[in-house]
Each structure stands twice: as structure tokens, then as C-alpha cells.
Amino acid sequence: MAATEQQTGEPTDVLERFLRYVQVDTQSSDEHCDQVPSSAIQFDLANLLAEELRTLGAQDVAVSDHAYVTAHIPASAGAEARPRLGLIAHMDTTEVVSGFGVKPHVVRYEGGDLVCGEVDGQPVSIGPDKLPALNDLVGEDLVCTDGTTLLGADDKAGIAEIMALVAHLAKHPELPHPPLGICFCPDEEIGHGAALLDIESFGCAYAYTVDGGPVGELEWECFNASEVTVRFRGYSIHPGDAKDRMVNAGNLFVEFHNLLPIPMRPEHTEGYEGFIHLEGVSATCEHATARYIVRDHDATKFDAKLALMERAAAFINDRLGEERVTVEVKPQYRNMAEVVADYPELIDVAKEAFSAAGVEPRVLPIRGGTDGAQLSFRGLPCPNLSTGGYCCHGVNEFIPVSSLEKMVNVLQELVARFA
Ligand SMILES: [Zn+2]
């Protein structure tokens, strides 16, 4: 991986692309998670990107029946024999906040509250008290929403940055890069990730997702993750006749939940601390069901959290002398560090690329999962790079214009190092 410092220094079309892509609605739909894509509108962006990739001279451009866009970019002269490097981003936006009819606009941030828009006569804003990083962005041009929708920098910033790189490489054949694989996938936000990516025909030896936060973030450790459903079987009887007979499933849930340590709740954890999170509960006297998610970077601590829940159930069952509490664990994803640790050069090269583009790299543990987690375990090691975006999944989402441009530079430095 010979390093090269070749750069053109000229501005790219990343901002124009970003503003265009965020205005194509691609919200995914958990309700239809049994089909991929979960919303047919994701084909709109998929087809647009495929058309643009063809125009830029990409090969094998395809949109699959499941709305995956894949393409190959031939290597620069002399780098044809290098292994193919993948770059991946996702097209869908979360449905937590509306992603329909996004109206992006650029705000020059002068300090204080960042006001992105107005809803019902009230400004939609965020200040440095809630987001201290704003203090470093005074004087920057920020792409914001109008306050009624999310922006979709997660992950259309990643898409725009990859597309701007492809356009830049097409214009500058002298820039070194190995053969590239480009993939834009649907339904990341509803946990589908890159499950249906045909890794074999994608043909990459390794890849990066471009789906992180503020510029400089580099992530290769994510949570181990399981969903835990706890069921409580009660015995309902007229409350007037209940003495020594009624078993209230709702109360069993309360007892169970109180056996779980409060410091393990998400609102008390950060960094490498895992958590047990109560997502929801429904309860009657006869029956209760509680849905939890369990997360931890450390596999041993992760297993200990699951064991704790089993023990809490066993404690109650023992006290009652019969099995009224059952715990069902459904694995979701695993920490990709298990796989990526065998490819330290992927992290080293990414750090070098950030530094060469004038960005200080910061290695962070992901407090969630990425497409890369799943891909890593399917044989395609896949760390995650920043996009430059802030406050994703909300109406305050924004991205500095300079971050979009820097990330194209970082990607250019990155591919040069693999040539
Ligand atoms: Zn994302």
C-alpha cells in the first residue's frame, strides 16, 4: 500500500450532489421489514445513482430486485492487480422523524443557537449547551433542514462523498486507486443492513462503510447485540377473592425489572459501557410481555448481562415454585472487532488518510451496529468512516459543507494508499 500525496486540490461537486440526494425521499418502513426494500421509493434513489455511475464510466452497474446498487470502478494505470476495495453507504433514512420532502438550506453559523427553521411560529434550534461541538463550528456554512424533517446526512452524506470521489477519479485518471467496488444499500435503518449484498460478485477483499458522525471518526468496534423477550404468566381471579391465589403478571414484570441494575440502563452508560434497555412492556394480570435490548462491546460482559436476566427470572420462578417467567434471547449482531482485529492495516491506512487530508482521526467504539458488522462476519472486513454529519435521526440534523469536502479528500487519500 504505497502512500502517495497526489491531490488536485480543486473543489468537487459533493455539495451539489448532497443537496440533490437528500431531496429524494427514501424513508424505510419497519412495518414492511419482511420485504426488501421495505419502501419502494428507495428504488428512486437507487435508479438515479445507477444512472449517474454509468455516466461516470463505472462498470457492471446494477440495481438488484432488492434495490441494492452495485458497481465496479476500474483501477488506475498500474494498480490493476491490487485487491478490490469496497466503499459502502446506505440510501434509506430512519422513520423516527419524517424524511419526506426534505428542504435543505445552507446557514452561516455565527455562534449561539443554530436555528434551522421554524415550526408553528417557533424556531427549531439547538445550542452549544446541548451540542458543545457547535463551539468549533462558528463561521462555518452548515447544511440544515427547515425544521420539519430530518436532513438525511445519515447516510446521503456518505453517498454524496463516494459519488463525488468517483466523479473526481473519472475526471483525473492520473489519481492512483485500486479497483473499487461501490455499493449503496437499502433498509439499514431498520436493521436489514447489507444482508442481501452478493459479496461474491461485489468481489472486494475489504471495504469501508461511510456512515459515521463528525469528520475524523473511525470505528471498527461495535456492540454485541441481542433482543430479549421476557414473558410473565399470571393467574387472574376476581380481586375480591384473590388472597393467596392471584398471580399478577404485571407485578411479576415489576419485580423482574427491579432486579436489573439501574446503572446498566442506557441513560447511565457511555463509551465502552454496555446496557440493558427496556424498549416496551404490555401487561395485564393474566399476561405480561417485556421487550429488552442488550448491548455490550465486550463479549464476556455481554454474556454476563444475558445471564443476569436469566438469573432474575430463575429467582422469581424459584420463589413461586413454578415457572412463570421465561426469557427468550434473539441474537442480532456481533462486535466486528472480532474480525477486523485481524486486519489492523485497514485501521492504520484510514488513520493515515485522515491525517493526510488534514483531519485528526479519532477511533471510537460504535454504540450501535453498522452494515459493516454483518459484512465483517460474512467475510468482508469493513470498518466505518465518518460522514461529517451531526444530530442524525432528528430535525436538528446538519452537516458542515467543509466536512463534505474534507471527506472526499479523505476518501481520495484512502484509495491512493490501496493502489
Ligand atoms: Zn446510517
Side-chain angles (χ1 to χ4, degrees):
M1 291 172 202
T4 152
E5 303 307 320
Q6 241 172 318
Q7 275 225 357
T8 62
E10 80 193 44
T12 66
D13 56 9
V14 64
L15 177 62
E16 180 273 323
R17 286 181 186 279
F18 177 69
L19 295 175
R20 218 153 34 78
Y21 300 156
V22 296
Q23 293 180 70
V24 183
D25 297 337
T26 55
Q27 188 171 300
S28 47
S29 163
D30 202 26
E31 196 191 329
H32 300 108
C33 64
D34 52 331
Q35 58 206 43
V36 183
S38 64
S39 56
I41 50 172
Q42 293 180 71
F43 275 113
D44 297 345
L45 184 58
N47 289 327
L48 173 81
L49 293 169
E51 199 44 53
E52 293 187 8
L53 282 163
R54 281 187 198 104
T55 309
L56 293 170
Q59 298 177 347
D60 314 320
V61 180
V63 178
S64 79
D65 292 346
H66 297 294
Y68 283 68
V69 183
T70 48
H72 291 151
I73 312 288
S76 58
E80 295 86 350
R82 299 291 305 157
R84 186 179 285 141
L85 168 67
L87 294 172
I88 300 171
H90 68 86
M91 297 183 293
D92 65 317
T93 57
T94 179
E95 59 187 330
V96 187
V97 171
S98 170
F100 288 105
V102 174
K103 293 177 200 67
H105 65 125
V106 177
V107 174
R108 170 65 56 89
Y109 178 58
E110 308 281 12
D113 279 353
L114 168 62
V115 181
C116 54
E118 219 176 70
V119 173
D120 299 333
Q122 294 296 314
V124 176
S125 67
I126 186 164
D129 51 328
K130 282 223 177 85
L131 183 68
L134 276 172
N135 290 318
D136 301 326
L137 297 173
V138 178
E140 292 258 2
D141 286 333
L142 311 177
V143 187
C144 300
T145 71
D146 65 356
T148 61
T149 65
L150 49 68
L151 178 62
D154 175 13
D155 186 24
K156 286 164 183 165
I159 294 177
E161 288 154 4
I162 293 170
M163 288 297 288
L165 172 79
V166 172
H168 196 64
L169 295 178
K171 213 164 126 193
H172 293 280
E174 75 279 10
L175 291 173
H177 59 88
L180 299 176
I182 306 295
C183 171
F184 301 126
C185 28
D187 288 343
E188 191 271 351
E189 297 291 357
I190 56 168
H192 207 286
L196 295 177
L197 173 64
D198 180 346
I199 289 189
E200 210 156 300
S201 66
F202 193 47
C204 293
Y206 26 62
Y208 293 88
T209 50
V210 185
D211 188 21
V215 68
E217 284 182 10
L218 169 57
E219 301 159 319
W220 62 285
E221 297 174 272
C222 64
F223 277 144
N224 295 288
S226 279
E227 201 173 69
V228 179
T229 306
V230 188
R231 293 188 178 84
F232 305 87
R233 190 169 53 86
Y235 176 65
S236 182
I237 190 168
H238 190 286
D241 304 324
K243 181 151 172 74
D244 297 331
R245 297 166 71 192
M246 177 192 278
V247 180
N248 188 327
N251 288 337
L252 294 183
F253 158 72
V254 171
E255 184 181 353
F256 176 87
H257 190 66
N258 286 337
L259 286 168
L260 304 177
I262 292 172
M264 279 189 193
R265 294 179 187 169
E267 59 267 44
H268 301 298
T269 64
E270 61 183 357
Y272 282 103
E273 295 162 340
F275 58 72
I276 299 175
H277 172 53
L278 174 65
E279 281 202 316
V281 59
S282 62
T284 61
C285 183
E286 186 71 23
H287 205 89
T289 305
R291 288 177 297 108
Y292 291 88
I293 57 170
V294 178
R295 303 287 189 258
D296 207 302
H297 295 95
D298 183 301
T300 309
K301 290 181 185 167
F302 177 68
D303 291 342
K305 286 187 172 64
L306 294 174
L308 191 68
M309 299 181 83
E310 301 276 5
R311 280 214 307 282
F315 175 81
I316 298 171
N317 288 332
D318 282 354
R319 182 175 63 69
L320 297 173
E322 57 186 336
E323 185 163 307
R324 289 192 172 273
V325 186
T326 55
V327 175
E328 185 194 338
V329 178
K330 193 174 130 208
Q332 291 175 297
Y333 53 86
R334 281 157 66 194
N335 186 349
M336 64 174 155
E338 272 179 57
V339 175
V340 179
D342 293 336
Y343 300 83
E345 68 276 14
L346 293 182
I347 307 305
D348 294 342
V349 171
K351 281 185 190 166
E352 278 175 39
F354 275 117
S355 300
V359 177
E360 198 194 325
R362 300 185 309 284
V363 177
L364 295 175
I366 308 175
R367 292 181 61 76
T370 70
D371 283 343
Q374 208 185 87
L375 290 171
S376 293
F377 282 99
R378 284 174 61 203
L380 183 63
C382 196
N384 187 38
L385 304 175
S386 56
T387 58
Y390 290 81
C391 306
C392 66
H393 296 200
V395 293
N396 293 114
E397 186 182 11
F398 70 90
I399 187 165
V401 173
S402 68
S403 295
L404 285 166
E405 282 161 0
K406 274 183 205 158
M407 276 314 297
V408 183
N409 262 327
V410 170
L411 293 178
Q412 193 189 314
E413 292 288 349
L414 184 78
V415 299
R417 281 165 172 73
F418 281 94

